[in-house]
Amino acid sequence: MHGTGVLAIDKKGNSQMAKIGGPPHQLVTTEAYRSLESFVNVRDCRFLVGHNRFATKGKKITDHAHPFRHGNIILVHNGTLNNFKHFPEHPDKKIVVDSEHLAYAIDKLGIEAAIKDLVGAWTIVYWHRFDKTLNILRNDQRPLYLATIGEDSFAFASEEPMLKWVLKRNHFLGVKIEEVPQDTLFSFSLSDPEPKLTEVKGRAFPKKSKEKLRKEFASLYKDDFIDVSGTNERVTEIIDIKPSEKQTIIPSASAHRAPTGKVAL
């Protein structure tokens, strides 16, 4: 695992996050994570979002771990973007990671304009700091599963077996799980458990043969499965975001339950 991040949002829309360029067991030992835990325990938190990164673009460092924050948008992304020439360039920095560029584009263009000409694979979850909404969107290249718990709580994850395990571990039994429909933006507010649904569709993903996809995957990840050089370095730099800052974020592999309801993975 090349990156781990967690975002918490309280009932007023204040947020705090912690992330690291490494696996979850490294994050939970940091001061940033302990500060986040304190934020969750003291505040009336409504949303919790976690993300695990397997790097496809960019370095395996904390700056390239999710979530990414630009303006009003705090975002996590599962997938790879292939064509995003319409995204605006940042005036002060070169954005290397496609997921971070997506966060910047949504902040500058809005979700519909950012997505409409986009080609690639995505499940995205982002907090909009101005609208105070948690937003979820996927296309047909990435899965996402949603579980409704009671009248005012929900949990989601990219993998259905993981979601089932987390629900069982937290004693939520008999919960109905559904796959989130593709190209449909779910917008959850702080006050209304029912999401607003909006169609948001990108361009069709180019078809490739299974053999071509297999070769591309093997080429892309060969260095991550076996390290024969002995030179790989583990990055343990952390970012500590102060509780006074207002922020936002998105999908993961470990679950957290908010004291008053909303659950996210």
Side-chain angles (χ1 to χ4, degrees):
M1 203 61 62
H2 306 140
T4 307
V6 182
L7 169 78
I9 302 155
D10 72 13
K11 66 178 181 180
K12 294 183 179 180
N14 301 311
S15 60
Q16 185 173 349
M17 70 180 186
K19 64 179 183 177
I20 193 170
H25 73 265
Q26 290 182 356
L27 179 65
V28 298
T29 64
T30 65
E31 182 60 35
Y33 187 82
R34 286 190 286 272
S35 178
L36 178 76
E37 280 191 312
S38 178
F39 178 87
V40 171
N41 291 332
V42 172
R43 306 292 187 100
D44 186 2
C45 283
R46 298 302 174 90
F47 297 113
L48 288 168
V49 182
H51 183 273
N52 289 332
R53 178 186 185 227
F54 191 94
T56 57
K57 294 183 179 181
K59 297 179 180 179
K60 300 165 189 176
I61 58 176
T62 295
D63 280 349
H64 292 174
H66 303 227
F68 295 104
R69 180 177 60 163
H70 282 282
N72 285 313
I73 304 301
I74 305 176
L75 172 145
V76 297
H77 166 223
N78 173 26
T80 302
L81 306 182
N82 299 79
N83 186 349
F84 46 95
K85 295 179 180 179
H86 63 292
F87 283 3
E89 294 296 330
H90 196 287
D92 301 320
K93 64 177 289 190
K94 180 176 176 58
I95 299 178
V96 177
V97 181
D98 54 353
S99 304
E100 182 179 6
H101 212 157
L102 178 57
Y104 182 72
I106 293 174
D107 181 61
K108 296 303 179 183
L109 304 176
I111 182 65
E112 295 187 38
I115 293 294
K116 71 175 184 177
D117 292 322
L118 188 60
V119 177
W122 61 82
T123 287
I124 59 174
V125 179
Y126 66 93
W127 173 248
H128 197 296
R129 298 170 64 197
F130 182 79
D131 294 345
K132 297 190 186 307
T133 57
L134 186 73
N135 301 272
I136 300 170
L137 177 69
R138 78 172 187 94
N139 69 353
D140 62 351
Q141 299 299 309
R142 288 295 184 271
L144 189 67
Y145 296 90
L146 180 70
T148 302
I149 306 167
E151 296 181 355
D152 62 356
S153 300
F154 65 93
F156 59 88
S158 295
E159 299 176 0
E160 186 177 16
M162 171 62 74
L163 183 55
K164 288 181 177 179
W165 178 83
V166 168
L167 292 170
K168 183 177 180 181
R169 187 172 183 268
N170 287 274
H171 310 294
F172 294 117
L173 305 178
V175 175
K176 184 178 180 180
I177 298 175
E178 298 179 294
E179 188 170 25
V180 173
Q182 66 190 52
D183 305 323
T184 302
L185 180 70
F186 281 59
S187 297
F188 296 90
S189 71
L190 290 167
S191 58
D192 189 353
E194 289 297 321
K196 176 184 176 183
L197 306 183
T198 307
E199 184 181 43
V200 179
K201 192 172 184 178
R203 293 172 59 187
F205 194 82
K207 293 183 178 180
K208 297 182 180 180
S209 68
K210 289 184 178 180
E211 180 62 17
K212 187 174 182 180
L213 288 171
R214 185 193 67 78
K215 289 181 179 179
E216 288 183 358
F217 184 85
S219 174
L220 185 63
Y221 298 124
K222 61 183 176 63
D223 294 333
D224 292 295
F225 292 130
I226 302 175
D227 175 22
V228 295
S229 67
T231 60
N232 283 1
E233 296 182 0
R234 185 181 299 276
V235 180
T236 57
E237 175 192 2
I238 66 169
I239 292 178
D240 187 0
I241 298 175
K242 301 290 189 296
S244 59
E245 292 187 72
K246 294 186 177 181
Q247 304 146 11
T248 323
I249 119 180
I250 147 187
S252 116
S254 62
H256 305 266
R257 187 173 74 175
T260 58
K262 307 296 188 291
V263 185
L265 290 105

